[in-house]
Amino acid sequence: MATVAYMTSHNELQKRFPLGAGVDLASLSSDPYPHYRRLREREPVSWVPALNMYLVTRYDLVQTVLRDSVHYISGTDRSLVYDTFGTHMLTTDGELHDLYKQPLLPGFRPAAVRESMELAITAHVNRLIDGFIKSGRIELREHFASRLPILTVLSLFGLPLENEPLLRRWYDAFENALANFTWQANVRAEAATHVGDFHTYMQGHIDAKRKAPDDRLLSQLLAVNEPRKLADDEIRRNALIIFFGGISTVEALILNTFYSLHRHPETQDRVIKDLTLCAPLLDEVVRWLGPVQSATRHVSQAATLAGVSFAPGDTVNCMLAAANQDPEVFTAPDQFNIDRPELRRHVGFAIGSHHCLGSHLAKLEARIAVETLLQRLPHLRVDPASSPVVSGHEFRQPKLLSMCWEPPA
C-alpha cells in the first residue's frame, strides 16, 4: 500500500477509511469483534470518526506501536488517563516513567506478590463467600467481583478495609471518565471531583505512614529515595493509577472467567477436576474476552504504519482485543481453548515499557477467587433464569452476572 499523506479533513479521512467510518459506539460496545475482524483484514490501521482516533487491529502492528516509545507516547493532554489522573507512571515516558515504575517492579514480581498478598487475598475471598454461601444465589459483580479487588488494594497499601465503599464510589466515576472518548464535560467534572477527594484521603494516610511506617506499598513509596525521593503529590498520583488498575482489571477478569465457563461448561468441568488449569484458563479469558480492550498512544513525531502516515498530535488506539484474535498468531482465534500452544503470546496486559505493573497480582487474585468459588460452591453456574450480556468498548465485562449453586444444608 502506498503511503497515505496526512489529511486534516475528516471528510477525506472517512473516504480513505470507509470501514472505520462505519464503526459506531453502540455496536462497538455491544460486540466489537466483527468490527475488529473486518478492520484487521482490510483496514488494519483505520481512522474511526466516532472515536476521533486511529484504531490499530493487527497483532504485529499493535506490537510495533507499543514497543516504540519514541514516536508513540502515553503522556499528553489529549490522553483520557492524563486528563483524569494527571502525571503518573502511565502518562510518562523515559526517565520520569522509570523513576515512578522501577522501584515498584521487585514487589510486583510473581514470587513477591504471592509472598506478600496470597494470605490476605485468600482471607478476603473466604470472608466474602461466608457472607453469601447459605443463600444459594447472588449477583456476582455486586457481592464479590467488585469487592475483592478493592479489599485487596486496600491491603496492598496498608489502608483500612472499612474504606471499601468510598473507593467503590470513586472507581465508578473514574471508569466512566476513562471510557469518555467523546469528552463529555459532566463525566470529566464528576471524575475531577472524586480525584480531589482521593488526594485528600491519601494525603491523610501519607502523613500517618510517615509517622508509623509498615511493610505495605504506601510506606514503600514513601521510602523511595533513588534517584530521588518522591513528592507527596507524585505518590498520590501513582497510588491513584495503581488503585484504579488494580480494581478494574480484576473485577472484569473474574466476571469474564465465569461468563466464559458458562459458555463452555466442558471447560468448567475440567477445571473443577484439575484446579491447576486455572492458570491457562485465565490467560485464555484475557485473550478471548479481554477485560481491557485497548491501549492508547499519542503520536509525538511523524510516523508511518502499514502505509498510513501519522502527524504529531494524532491519537492511535492499539486494540489489544483485536490483536488477541489475529489468526496469524492464534489458531481458530474465535474459539475458546485453554490448551492452545500459543496462549502466552496474548497482549491483554499490553507490552513494552507500559506493560501492566499489576498483571501478576491480578492473575493471583482471579486464580484464588475462581478456585475457591468452584471449591466452596457446589454446582456453581450462571442462574438459568438470567441472560448475561457482555458490553463495553474500553472495559468489557457483564454488568450483571447472576450465579446459583447448591447451598449447604
Side-chain angles (χ1 to χ4, degrees), residues 280-288 335-337 340 343:
L281 167 66
L282 293 172
D283 274 319
E284 179 66 345
V285 170
V286 172
R287 186 203 68 83
W288 187 72
Q335 295 180 13
F336 188 82
N337 177 13
R340 60 175 64 251
L343 180 54

Side-chain angles (χ1 to χ4, degrees), residues 46 186 328:
S46 181
N186 62 317
E328 293 297 315

